[in-house]
Amino acid sequence: MNNILSYLKNKHLIWQGKAINEPDSGSLSGYPELDAGLEGGLPTQGVIDIHSDIGIGELRLFLPYILQRQARQQRLLVIIAPPLQINGEMLAELGIDLNQVLVIRPGDQQQALWAAEQCLKSDCCHTVLSWLQNLEIHQVKRLQLAAKQSHAVQVIFRQQQTQGLSLPVTLSMSLQPQAQGLRIKVNKRIGSWRHQDIQLNMQALWPALQLPEQHNNDNNIIPFPKQRAS
Amino acid sequence: MKKLWLYLHFPRLQMDCQFLAEQHRPVIILEAKDNSTRQLNELASKAGIKPGMGLGTACALCHDLHVEPYNSDLESNKIKQLCDSLYQLTSDICLFPPDGILLRIHNMLRFYDGLDNYWQAISGTLDKNNIRYHYATGATPFAAKILAQSQWDQVCEDRQQMHQQVLAQPLDASELPTRVVDNLKRVGIRLIGDLAAMPLSEIARRFDIQLVTYMGRLLGELHHSISFYHPEKRFNRRLELLYEIDNTQILLPPIQLLLQALEDFLLIRDQVTEELLLNLHQREQASLTVTVNSAEGEYRAKVWQTLMQLKLESVQLQSPVYALSLETGNTHLKTPRADDLFSGKKTALSQTQLIAMLQAKLGQELVQQISLHNDFRPEQVNRYQNAGKALSPLPKLQANRPFFLLSEPQKLNEKVRLLQGPERIVSGWWDDHAITRDYFIAHSAQGRWYWVFRTAEQRWFLHGVFA
């Protein structure tokens, strides 16, 4: 083979059509548009790489999916290195059993990766959510291998990056906020070609978080009770 | 049934424990109290050193002599350890400090179908320890002892032969005080047999009661009461290192030895433990205690080894370690894991094992679970606690709470659009954290969903993020 071609192949910058793995049929994400865009839904195992800002709905995207996995498998949901404190009340309200939720706050990225790999390998976690930056290919490969071994899913949340490196993940998506929900760009999905961006409407599932057409909530503000002088 | 005793004599216990005998130089172990040589290796005895010699004489005989101080703790530890392993084979064990073990064997022979089988089992266990020993059977404890110390090294049930052998021993080999032995020699009594030929009443008239008791016990005419050994209830073992170690990674192989002993100990008792305390005895520093926990009770050395290794990665030694000791926390009976045979493949680790492993590596306080408390104040609802403990029952939950909370509300310095609210929370008047707030769901220009609140002073704060 041509030297340049093999070089590019080793760098994972190109891949060959014949080496396609059948994409896994996926499990429903809870959002019909996303299921359609991903031809079946989110993967049932492997590493999902999410490029997103904090607070635009990146977790709401996964919550129906996590709930579904939690209900089906009596395994742990592990949250590693969250950028802010996790509010357990919200998880409990959704119906997630807090006994099955583990929050790990490692000191550095090395520990975070170690913990994620152990959790995936242990076969007793269904989903691991980690917030990581600057990943190396070999690190992701290890996570991918561990996740596939035990049919677990590793979701990695990262800030928007213009990194050219193509990581060996099962699915990579970039999220942009939108009035109705999210605009999802699928950067990579094993076994499929690039599709159009997915317009996701999250209002049906999260009625509390929607932008009204007309913004008028001035009339329902009640003055605070007078504080007694003490 | 006539009684039969087996005595095991360990002439060079400390030397064998410290692997001094194999060294290519003369070594003696000196008892500092009375300045006498207690143990010596072959090279030392070739140089003419004899047990009991003073340090001066020994040094004069051999210029490159290596001298080790006698360590009685080490020997008694080792003897106890041997007793523990022998206890698996035989029931009645008695310690003869500092260097002997007496076994009552006549009641075990039927169980083993003969003395040969029994001795095979015992000697097999002893040989595993790489310790030199002498042994002998005897009709009485003292008879067995005197024969073992004279290196007879035979087991037999022939009482006549054993008796003859005992009678042929010189009086020096007995436990009689030197003064008494000298007195007896002066009147021409040199062997035990000479003394035994005289009637006890005659001896009692001429010598003190000590000699009479000894002879009576030796020949089985007087009862010799023995108190038997009971193994320890808890595992607590100490290991002296052959040289000082200042790297925790190098400590792992010796720790493995201790863990293996722990496994044997717990396995026989069908017990598990949740906590191990490893004491690292440091030269010139207070000893360091490393506690390793496993939420699921465990006995296997392999599992503890992994946890120990992870824990030690974060341990800093202040000075070199010369000894290790390992003890268990609470132990309890093993209850098997309830795995469903039909629920598909078994998991590699149980959840508690995973938590134990993460906690060992990262520290207990970094692996947490969320427990909810019944409170309206968002700050008070979430309590993070170390994983593995029971959570408090779920309180009444509020709707529309954000996924992320800021640990401290921050001033809102961003233009936001209020979407839903207000949700008024006025609570906590009973303690120091009273709040009066109106909470809103807000949307920022960047498309973020915030949970903000307004205080009575009309100041705005950001408290949560809907991710």
Side-chain angles (χ1 to χ4, degrees), chain A residues 106-114 131-135 139:
Chain A
D108 53 31
Q109 170 128 340
Q110 215 51 48
Q111 288 190 344
L113 283 166
W114 178 85
W131 279 260
L132 302 167
Q133 300 298 329
N134 303 330
L135 287 163
Q139 295 168 339

Side-chain angles (χ1 to χ4, degrees), chain B residues 142-397:
Chain B
F142 278 146
K145 184 174 181 182
I146 201 169
L147 289 180
Q149 283 180 340
S150 67
Q151 310 184 0
W152 192 44
D153 291 354
Q154 284 186 38
V155 288
C156 70
E157 282 177 284
D158 184 351
R159 282 165 197 281
Q160 195 56 38
Q161 189 190 349
M162 286 190 290
H163 189 65
Q164 291 303 327
Q165 195 67 31
V166 170
L167 294 185
Q169 294 302 317
L171 277 177
D172 300 301
S174 72
E175 276 173 55
L176 296 172
T178 334
R179 183 179 49 81
V180 178
V181 174
D182 285 346
N183 282 345
L184 286 167
K185 273 185 187 164
R186 262 181 235 135
V187 293
I189 299 176
R190 291 174 191 285
L191 300 179
I192 301 265
D194 300 341
L195 201 56
M198 294 166 48
L200 264 186
S201 51
E202 291 295 311
I203 303 174
R205 260 184 33 208
R206 289 173 176 78
F207 292 96
D208 58 1
I209 190 72
Q210 220 181 342
L211 175 66
V212 178
T213 344
Y214 178 77
M215 282 308 289
R217 285 178 173 178
L218 179 67
L219 301 174
E221 284 159 31
L222 291 178
H223 177 68
H224 189 175
S225 67
I226 298 278
S227 60
F228 290 108
Y229 170 77
H230 291 283
E232 303 268 338
K233 286 237 169 62
R234 282 166 76 116
F235 183 84
N236 186 353
R237 195 159 291 182
R238 187 183 161 103
L239 183 72
E240 302 287 331
L241 299 173
L242 298 180
Y243 47 88
E244 293 176 6
I245 294 177
D246 54 3
N247 182 338
T248 50
Q249 291 306 305
I250 302 173
L251 275 175
L252 286 173
I255 290 173
Q256 168 73 35
L257 289 179
L258 285 174
L259 290 175
Q260 192 56 51
L262 172 81
E263 176 177 331
D264 296 344
F265 182 92
L266 291 177
L267 184 66
I268 287 160
R269 290 161 179 79
D270 197 29
Q271 283 182 336
V272 289
T273 182
E274 274 131 24
E275 190 176 50
L276 287 188
L277 302 165
L278 178 72
N279 268 305
L280 305 170
H281 301 274
Q282 300 186 102
R283 182 80 65 208
E284 288 156 15
Q285 291 281 343
S287 72
L288 197 69
T289 306
V290 181
T291 314
V292 188
N293 291 293
S294 159
E296 186 171 275
E298 189 52 76
Y299 70 96
R300 282 170 295 178
K302 208 173 72 185
V303 179
W304 281 117
Q305 171 88 355
T306 328
L307 294 176
M308 196 66 92
Q309 193 173 350
L310 293 172
K311 187 78 189 185
L312 283 176
E313 280 172 15
S314 57
V315 170
Q316 282 292 325
L317 295 178
Q318 288 126 1
S319 77
V321 173
Y322 64 91
L324 304 169
S325 57
L326 185 73
E327 57 182 304
T328 57
N330 287 330
T331 57
H332 48 80
L333 271 184
K334 190 165 72 187
T335 44
R337 222 167 97 190
D339 273 330
D340 192 343
L341 183 62
F342 299 107
S343 68
K345 66 173 181 165
K346 280 184 190 169
T347 55
L349 290 174
S350 73
Q351 291 179 3
T352 40
Q353 280 173 326
L354 173 71
I355 291 171
M357 191 168 71
L358 293 170
Q359 284 180 334
K361 164 95 175 182
L362 306 171
Q364 293 237 322
E365 58 295 336
L366 293 184
V367 184
Q368 296 175 317
Q369 280 183 310
I370 313 167
S371 173
L372 297 184
H373 285 249
N374 202 358
D375 204 308
F376 283 106
R377 290 166 292 176
E379 287 100 329
Q380 308 292 331
V381 176
N382 285 285
R383 305 266 168 90
Y384 279 80
Q385 62 179 42
N386 293 351
K389 291 181 199 144
L391 301 182
S392 50
L394 277 187
K396 193 168 169 293
L397 299 165

Side-chain angles (χ1 to χ4, degrees), chain A residues 30-49:
Chain A
Y31 301 98
E33 300 98 320
L34 187 65
D35 295 342
L38 294 177
E39 293 162 354
L42 292 164
T44 52
Q45 60 187 52
V47 179
I48 304 176
D49 182 24

Side-chain angles (χ1 to χ4, degrees), chain A residues 138-169:
Chain A
H138 68 271
Q139 295 168 339
V140 179
K141 257 192 183 155
R142 289 187 71 132
L143 293 180
Q144 176 83 305
L145 209 67
K148 283 202 168 158
Q149 249 174 31
S150 54
H151 302 285
V153 168
Q154 161 79 55
V155 186
I156 301 172
F157 293 100
R158 301 196 279 164
Q159 299 283 336
Q160 296 285 4
Q161 278 173 332
T162 49
Q163 202 178 22
L165 211 63
S166 163
L167 294 174
V169 295

Side-chain angles (χ1 to χ4, degrees), chain A residues 54-55 59-60 85-90 99 101 103-105 118 123 177 208 211-212 215 217 220 222-223, chain B residues 347 357 366 368-369 382 384 391 398 400-405 417-419 421 424 443 446 448-449 466:
Chain A
I54 294 171
L59 270 160
R60 271 176 290 147
Q85 217 178 55
I86 301 286
N87 183 12
E89 198 177 3
M90 189 258 191
N99 286 305
V101 178
V103 181
I104 303 174
R105 307 162 160 282
Q118 296 304 320
D123 216 2
L211 294 168
H215 166 57
N217 52 357
N220 61 352
I222 319 156
Chain B
T347 55
M357 191 168 71
L366 293 184
Q368 296 175 317
Q369 280 183 310
N382 285 285
Y384 279 80
L391 301 182
Q398 308 296 317
N400 294 336
R401 288 288 182 262
F403 191 84
F404 288 131
L405 279 182
R417 198 172 149 195
L418 299 184
L419 294 175
R424 180 158 295 173
H443 192 236
Q446 281 85 36
R448 293 191 179 150
W449 298 87
F466 293 87

